[in-house]
Amino acid sequence: MSYLEDYLEKIVEKGNPGLAGSVKKTTDDVIPQYIRNFSYKEHVVSLLMGNVQSGKTSHMFGLINAAADEGFGIFVLLTTDNILLQQQTLSRAEKDFSDFCICGENDYLRFADNAMRKPVLIILKKNWRILKQWKNNFSSTNFCKGNPLFIVDDEADAASLNTMVNKDKKSTINKILEEIKNTSSSSIYMQVTGTPQSIFLQTVQSGWNPYFIYYFDPGQGYLGGDFFFNQEDSPYIKFTDNNEAQEILVDDEFPENGLKTALIIHLITSAHIFISAGKVSNFMIHPSVKTSQHGKFAEKVGEYLNEIMLSIDEDCMLDVIRKAYNNIKESKPTIAPFEDIYVFIRDSLENDDINVLVINSVSSYEDNVQYESGINVIIGGNSLGRGVTFPQLQTIYYCRVAKNPQADTMWQHSRMFGYDRDVDLMRVFMPPKLYKLFSDINTTNNSLIAQIKRFDETKDIKVCYPKGVQPTRKNVLDNRAISILSGGVNYFPYYPTNTNIVALDEMLAPFKDECYTVNLKFIVNLLKLIGSEADDWDTNNFIGFVNTFILENSLEQGKLIVRRERDITKGTGTLLSPNDRRLGAEFSDKVVITMYKVTGTKGWNNEKLWIPNIKLPEDIVYYNVNS
């Protein structure tokens, strides 16, 4: 039996044949095309993308097993610099890999003693001391000289990229990762993430732009962005006041608010789960990046639990619990009877069975990661993101507000995504302004996925976000290579060329000098016939962005304005007439292309030609990387 077959069998034995089938599809798609034909003389960078908490670890493990079947023998699996995540991954690998030599960060002797008798998988945090130590380990043995390294970088958009690119230097971890690759004569470096924005915006010259990209769809039962952020009047989303997070900590009274309601919902949900023989129910509170806030929210939760316990027999508290119960019953008609729920909550409070866990950089690791069982309230910030999985996470209170929100960071906070949730019991509490941000990011994320599925055809991924949302952190983007286009601005080439004016004339012949509604593919075909003598205009950039709208909706329409006999001087700083500028501005949410045919008498060598002027939809910023 091959390594892959053995691994897939383990997944099936755990009762998840659907996941086994999904992993098999990924290996069937990737291995023959990209791994089996590896040259053993180059260093290749690739990208595996899946949705947040959609099973990326299983797909990584599947690819490692399949690559071992192809003769790769040294695998390095990198996690973020997070003890919890590294230990979680190591523990899982020890259970899931048969006949591999599994090494943690301090297992150099095990690695050396194995002497390549078995494939070796080394699981490391992206901590510069750990990486440096293993770079030296690899250099001191002969194992890497003639064996290619297969490096899998989980959450590759975090920590791995060069944060000093604009200072013409290399950041420490980025530099060491390069050095690790170079301890071998060849390597495959597989980046893995659910938020690849920063990777897409790397230049080819950086060495971190993937030469192939593979996206795997989530399996059956996955709750993701479209479930939470693409439904009108979703019963699973509960809006809080926009300023509740700031006001709640200074309020010594116990008024009704989103946090208290979320806590009561959690108690009811947990009661139903445990009455139904469940073993765990989690509630996550993500209030801020500041660790000082986590402790204050923990104190507030403790105060609310005491208030509920002391007044649980009073009519007013019974009414509050019954109101929340009835809300859940609307989506979960089979919920346990109210009387049973009530007794369970009362007993749990009296027995102090509700655990409040603070997980952050200053709290005790051992004391606060016991969320695999029991009824838990988990409070934290950055430690609750990127790869950490919370079982049966049914209730979420998210109120973290950033001055300059970043799409990749916010999306990594979507710990509500996953498989083992009871759909009908899900509740997410957040302010409307944050819900709007998540909805916008979900839309653009879907656009990225649609582009990836066509990557082999286009080799071009375009990134665009609503104004006010940054795709990623600025320090990993090369300012010299990133160009930004603003929606609502008119762009045209100062020195245009027509690659085939006869074809342009034929395409535009049916259109008199008026304004028309046209399919976006028609606009793309017009643009394909336009070039520029200078570098002020890149037709392919505009085609790429228009194609992103087509991918979202193949019938998407744009506006075409046609004008002929325009007596315009070449190289002029203005092109559109005031009337045409106003006309185009009327269509703020559309792609608008205005085609002027000039007489050719003013600096054009008496050559008539078409000049495009394109305006992309407003309130969106379009990012492009020039390699």
Side-chain angles (χ1 to χ4, degrees):
M1 184 178 289
S2 70
Y3 294 110
L4 177 62
E5 288 171 341
D6 185 77
Y7 176 60
L8 295 176
E9 190 172 281
K10 279 189 170 63
I11 299 177
V12 173
E13 288 172 353
K14 292 177 183 175
N16 204 338
L19 178 59
S22 178
V23 172
K24 178 74 164 46
K25 182 180 186 309
T26 296
T27 57
D28 285 349
D29 289 345
V30 172
I31 295 296
Q33 188 170 357
Y34 301 110
I35 308 301
R36 192 164 294 156
N37 297 325
F38 183 63
S39 70
Y40 290 85
K41 62 181 181 182
E42 59 188 342
H43 296 281
V44 171
V45 176
S46 58
L47 171 63
L48 174 69
M49 180 190 172
N51 286 293
V52 170
Q53 300 205 141
S54 65
K56 290 192 294 297
T57 302
S58 297
H59 290 258
M60 288 190 295
F61 282 10
L63 284 167
I64 289 171
N65 276 285
D69 288 329
E70 296 296 325
F72 286 80
I74 306 176
F75 299 88
V76 180
L77 201 168
L78 304 171
T79 73
T80 56
D81 191 9
N82 180 322
I83 296 173
L84 173 60
L85 188 54
Q86 192 269 342
Q87 290 295 312
Q88 183 176 287
T89 307
L90 178 63
S91 174
R92 187 169 168 182
E94 289 171 339
K95 296 173 184 173
D96 286 354
F97 282 85
S98 295
D99 212 26
F100 266 63
C101 174
I102 305 297
C103 296
E105 295 172 344
N106 299 313
D107 291 333
Y108 171 66
L109 289 179
R110 181 181 298 172
F111 169 70
D113 290 345
N114 178 60
M116 299 304 298
R117 285 189 292 271
K118 297 178 180 179
V120 61
L121 173 60
I122 306 154
I123 299 171
L124 309 174
K125 293 192 301 289
K126 282 184 277 189
N127 174 287
W128 75 268
R129 290 185 177 84
I130 300 295
L131 295 176
K132 190 79 173 178
Q133 174 189 333
W134 275 91
K135 177 256 176 182
N136 293 334
N137 291 343
F138 291 143
S139 298
S140 65
T141 72
N142 289 322
F143 301 140
C144 294
K145 302 294 184 190
N147 286 289
L149 276 177
F150 197 116
I151 303 171
V152 180
D153 187 351
D154 192 15
E155 309 298 347
D157 54 317
S160 305
L161 302 176
N162 185 10
T163 59
M164 302 184 75
V165 62
N166 292 307
K167 297 179 181 178
D168 291 325
K169 298 179 181 178
K170 287 200 172 187
S171 49
T172 303
I173 290 178
N174 181 265
K175 180 181 177 183
I176 300 174
L177 291 176
E178 290 279 7
E179 292 172 349
I180 288 177
K181 282 196 291 184
N182 291 326
T183 60
S184 174
S185 58
S186 61
S187 66
I188 291 178
Y189 194 103
M190 178 167 284
Q191 303 164 309
V192 183
T193 185
T195 50
Q197 290 87 344
S198 58
I199 293 173
F200 290 153
L201 293 173
Q202 296 298 300
T203 64
V204 173
Q205 292 76 12
S206 72
W208 296 90
N209 185 286
Y211 100 100
F212 82 82
I213 302 173
Y214 184 81
Y215 167 80
F216 67 87
D217 287 309
Q220 189 174 7
Y222 174 75
L223 304 182
D226 286 342
F227 175 82
F228 291 103
F229 302 116
N230 196 25
Q231 296 185 53
E232 291 186 7
D233 301 323
S234 169
Y236 312 109
I237 301 295
K238 299 297 176 187
F239 289 132
T240 65
D241 290 342
N242 277 326
N243 299 320
E244 178 177 294
Q246 292 76 40
E247 297 170 354
I248 202 168
L249 294 178
V250 297
D251 192 341
D252 293 330
E253 301 298 323
F254 299 105
E256 297 305 312
N257 57 51
L259 179 61
K260 186 191 292 185
T261 303
L263 182 60
I264 292 171
I265 288 281
H266 174 54
L267 295 176
I268 296 169
T269 298
S270 302
H272 173 80
I273 289 173
F274 278 77
I275 289 171
S276 307
K279 301 296 182 185
V280 58
S281 175
N282 283 316
F283 169 29
M284 190 182 82
I285 299 174
H286 190 147
S288 168
V289 67
K290 298 178 181 176
T291 55
S292 59
Q293 296 283 298
H294 306 156
K296 292 178 181 176
F297 267 83
E299 291 175 9
K300 186 60 71 175
V301 168
E303 291 171 2
Y304 287 165
L305 287 172
N306 287 335
E307 179 204 0
I308 296 168
M309 181 178 67
L310 294 173
S311 60
I312 196 161
D313 293 325
E314 296 177 10
D315 289 342
C316 59
M317 184 54 67
L318 270 170
D319 289 343
V320 170
I321 297 175
R322 189 180 296 278
K323 181 180 177 183
Y325 173 85
N326 290 336
N327 176 270
I328 296 178
K329 194 169 185 178
E330 290 178 6
S331 58
K332 183 74 173 178
T334 58
I335 189 172
F338 178 79
E339 291 72 20
D340 295 348
I341 297 281
Y342 168 75
V343 170
F344 184 93
I345 293 174
R346 186 186 63 196
D347 291 348
S348 297
L349 290 169
E350 289 178 354
N351 296 328
D352 198 20
D353 287 338
I354 318 299
N355 306 307
V356 180
L357 309 173
V358 176
I359 301 179
N360 57 32
S361 58
V362 298
S363 61
S364 167
Y365 170 75
E366 289 77 10
D367 292 343
N368 292 282
V369 295
Q370 309 305 319
Y371 49 74
E372 296 290 337
S373 61
I375 304 171
N376 309 305
V377 181
I378 303 163
I379 303 167
N382 289 343
S383 297
L384 304 184
R386 287 208 178 272
V388 181
T389 301
F390 300 99
Q392 202 84 45
L393 180 60
Q394 295 291 155
T395 311
I396 294 94
Y397 182 87
Y398 184 93
C399 55
R400 174 169 166 173
V401 178
K403 286 183 179 178
N404 300 299
Q406 295 174 183
D408 53 358
T409 299
M410 282 193 69
W411 205 240
Q412 286 289 351
H413 295 166
S414 304
R415 294 297 108 186
M416 67 285 284
F417 296 175
Y419 290 99
D420 70 339
R421 286 70 167 118
D422 185 324
V423 174
D424 299 329
L425 293 175
M426 285 301 309
R427 293 294 186 274
V428 178
F429 292 76
M430 63 171 52
K433 61 183 179 183
L434 288 177
Y435 180 81
K436 172 69 166 52
L437 277 174
F438 274 104
S439 297
D440 288 343
I441 294 170
N442 182 54
T443 300
T444 52
N445 205 48
N446 286 341
S447 171
L448 291 176
I449 291 170
Q451 292 181 68
I452 291 170
K453 289 183 174 179
R454 294 190 56 196
F455 180 74
D456 285 344
E457 301 171 34
T458 63
K459 302 294 181 188
D460 189 22
I461 303 290
K462 295 298 183 188
V463 177
C464 52
Y465 281 95
K467 287 181 180 175
V469 179
Q470 303 288 332
T472 186
R473 57 202 188 283
K474 293 181 178 178
N475 63 351
V476 297
L477 304 183
D478 188 341
N479 294 335
R480 295 157 294 193
I482 300 295
S483 59
I484 298 175
L485 302 174
S486 297
V489 174
N490 291 288
Y491 293 95
F492 64 94
Y494 275 57
Y495 304 99
T497 59
N498 292 168
T499 56
N500 190 335
I501 191 170
V502 175
L504 278 167
D505 283 339
E506 289 176 353
M507 288 185 68
L508 294 169
F511 300 94
K512 296 180 179 178
D513 286 13
E514 295 178 10
C515 179
Y516 302 89
T517 299
V518 297
N519 190 290
L520 289 185
K521 291 182 179 177
F522 181 84
I523 293 177
V524 167
N525 284 335
L526 283 177
L527 288 171
K528 288 179 178 176
L529 299 171
I530 304 293
S532 175
E533 297 174 2
D535 59 3
D536 64 310
W537 169 274
D538 187 336
T539 303
N540 289 330
N541 281 345
F542 292 102
I543 290 175
F545 287 122
V546 175
N547 276 331
T548 64
F549 297 112
I550 295 173
L551 284 172
E552 292 176 21
N553 178 8
S554 61
L555 296 178
E556 184 67 29
Q557 304 290 300
K559 291 292 180 180
L560 168 68
I561 302 170
V562 179
R563 301 285 186 254
R564 297 176 174 82
E565 296 300 320
R566 308 299 296 183
D567 197 19
I568 297 172
T569 303
K570 185 176 183 179
T572 184
T574 59
L575 178 72
L576 289 180
S577 71
N579 286 340
D580 287 338
R581 186 178 295 277
R582 282 193 291 272
L583 177 58
E586 292 177 9
F587 311 107
S588 60
D589 60 344
K590 297 290 185 185
V591 175
V592 179
I593 187 166
T594 304
M595 295 296 292
Y596 276 9
K597 189 171 186 182
V598 297
T599 60
T601 60
K602 295 184 177 179
W604 305 94
N605 296 321
N606 292 318
E607 179 186 2
K608 293 185 177 182
L609 80 166
W610 289 95
I611 306 176
N613 187 303
I614 189 167
K615 181 173 71 69
L616 299 169
E618 292 182 4
D619 298 325
I620 298 176
V621 180
Y622 305 82
Y623 298 84
N624 184 67
V625 58
N626 305 306
S627 295

